[in-house]
Amino acid sequence: MTRIPETFSWRFLEASLAGSKVSFPCLTTLIIGFQGKASAAATTTTTSSNSKSVATTSTGDEPGRRAYSLLLCFPSLQTLEVNGCLAGNDIAYADFGNQQLAKVSLRGNISQIKAFATMSMKSRLLNIRADAPTETETRAYFDAANSIFGSPNGHSVRSFELSIDAKYLDVDRVDWPRLNRLSITARLPLDKIVQLFIRLPQLLELDIGCIHYSEALATPSTAVQLVWQVCEASTADLSVRRLSVRRFHEKVSTATAAAIVCALIAETSMLGCLLVPADIREKVVEFVASGTQRLPHLANIRLQ
């Protein structure tokens, strides 16, 4: 079977082949979307070209229901994407064995993602986009993230999209020594961003969506002083190769924004690619050209 029909649900197979092992030997990409019982059925699409096969499907099942009596195997699978709140026993019917996948992308509640991410499967890239937690979910959020990015599981590169309200971000709870890529989509103050920056020893890529305004960012000198104060408290050797700062709060002046970026890149000598807003690029280029900070690996400075 190389194509999975539209509006497909695993229930169809479970009903007719309960207790069986079903293999999809030609399937290379599998996209699973969850939607609740009350939602309308999703339209799914499949494509097949040459030897590649892609399946997109919706489970249509409720989280927390019993484990399936059916075993599905995907021996040729390279890319796996799971969108939605799939609970641990909802994905227990799939056997990915010990195969090395090229990419695994998981999106949903991080406590439920944990069950999937810590399975025996291996991938060259594990990409996680977790739902932002509420106040009562904060502890579980960090416990799950610490388990995923702290343990030596089978994933080569670990990427995390952090979307959390600043008031719920307790940096002291962050223990992600094996995280390689961090994308911060929430508006966070500069001090918490820098604290995260220096607590991730294997971080290679940092993407900052927006640096929020605080009184410490009123002038370039106070902003730089804030970066220095946070970094002085750490002896970590920063290994970031790619730094992206997409934008600043509207109250942050161009001069202050440029000073912040220069202060950040001064904390790492391994930087190879820097992406900054257009209005501060000239000042950042001048700083790099001045030789104040040696950046032998910096190949380009691009505009956001």
Side-chain angles (χ1 to χ4, degrees):
M1 184 174 184
T2 58
R3 292 176 60 86
I4 293 181
E6 294 184 358
T7 64
F8 175 81
S9 170
W10 303 125
R11 280 184 177 179
F12 298 152
L13 287 175
E14 186 189 25
S16 60
L17 298 169
S20 301
K21 180 177 180 179
V22 182
S23 180
F24 298 82
C26 298
L27 203 65
T28 57
T29 299
L30 176 63
I31 304 172
I32 304 175
F34 170 82
Q35 61 182 48
K37 187 177 180 180
S39 302
T43 300
T44 62
T45 60
T46 61
T47 62
S48 180
S49 60
N50 299 326
S51 61
K52 296 181 180 180
S53 182
V54 180
T56 305
T57 182
S58 170
T59 69
D61 299 312
E62 298 178 65
R65 70 188 297 266
R66 66 181 176 83
Y68 284 65
S69 60
L70 175 72
L71 183 62
L72 305 179
C73 300
F74 309 96
S76 300
L77 197 66
Q78 287 297 304
T79 301
L80 173 66
E81 181 177 331
V82 180
N83 298 310
C85 300
L86 287 167
N89 62 343
D90 282 319
I91 49 88
Y93 58 83
D95 177 24
F96 301 99
N98 292 317
Q99 65 206 79
Q100 177 82 22
L101 304 183
K103 181 179 180 181
V104 175
S105 298
L106 308 176
R107 181 175 184 178
N109 180 287
I110 195 168
S111 295
Q112 296 168 344
I113 284 175
K114 175 186 171 183
F116 212 142
T118 54
M119 289 173 63
S120 61
M121 76 169 71
K122 302 175 183 178
S123 68
R124 289 191 289 275
L125 170 60
L126 171 66
N127 183 31
I128 291 180
R129 299 176 62 188
D131 297 337
T134 62
E135 184 176 6
T136 58
E137 296 171 334
T138 302
R139 179 177 293 277
Y141 182 92
F142 284 105
D143 287 347
N146 291 348
S147 177
I148 296 169
F149 302 121
S151 61
N153 52 40
H155 307 286
S156 301
V157 177
R158 300 160 184 85
S159 175
F160 186 36
E161 183 175 300
L162 180 67
S163 56
I164 184 172
D165 192 300
K167 62 184 177 182
Y168 300 147
L169 177 57
D170 185 353
V171 179
D172 290 334
R173 287 185 178 177
V174 172
D175 185 17
W176 307 335
R178 298 179 185 276
L179 183 64
N180 307 112
R181 300 176 180 175
L182 177 64
S183 175
I184 303 174
T185 58
R187 286 188 175 188
L188 296 181
L190 179 62
D191 58 335
K192 288 196 172 184
I193 291 175
V194 179
Q195 287 171 23
L196 279 173
F197 186 52
I198 63 177
R199 286 180 67 90
L200 305 173
Q202 292 191 24
L203 193 67
L204 301 178
E205 297 185 14
L206 176 61
D207 187 341
I208 302 170
C210 179
I211 295 181
H212 201 51
Y213 181 79
S214 66
E215 291 300 322
L217 274 60
T219 67
S221 59
T222 56
V224 170
Q225 187 65 30
L226 175 61
V227 175
W228 288 347
Q229 286 176 350
V230 176
C231 290
E232 281 177 0
S234 171
T235 58
D237 183 17
L238 302 180
S239 57
V240 172
R241 266 69 165 178
R242 182 181 183 276
L243 175 63
S244 171
V245 183
R246 297 184 180 278
R247 63 190 182 93
F248 291 82
H249 189 278
E250 58 186 12
K251 288 186 178 181
V252 179
S253 69
T254 301
T256 298
I260 290 171
V261 171
C262 293
L264 288 175
I265 64 178
E267 295 301 325
T268 176
S269 61
M270 301 300 293
L271 197 64
C273 181
L274 176 65
L275 289 82
V276 296
D279 56 350
I280 68 170
R281 184 181 185 276
E282 184 176 348
K283 292 183 179 296
V284 173
V285 170
E286 288 178 0
F287 172 79
V288 173
S290 69
T292 302
Q293 173 68 20
R294 292 194 63 210
L295 297 168
H297 303 285
L298 188 60
N300 55 53
I301 301 177
R302 304 207 307 260
L303 304 181
Q304 288 287 5

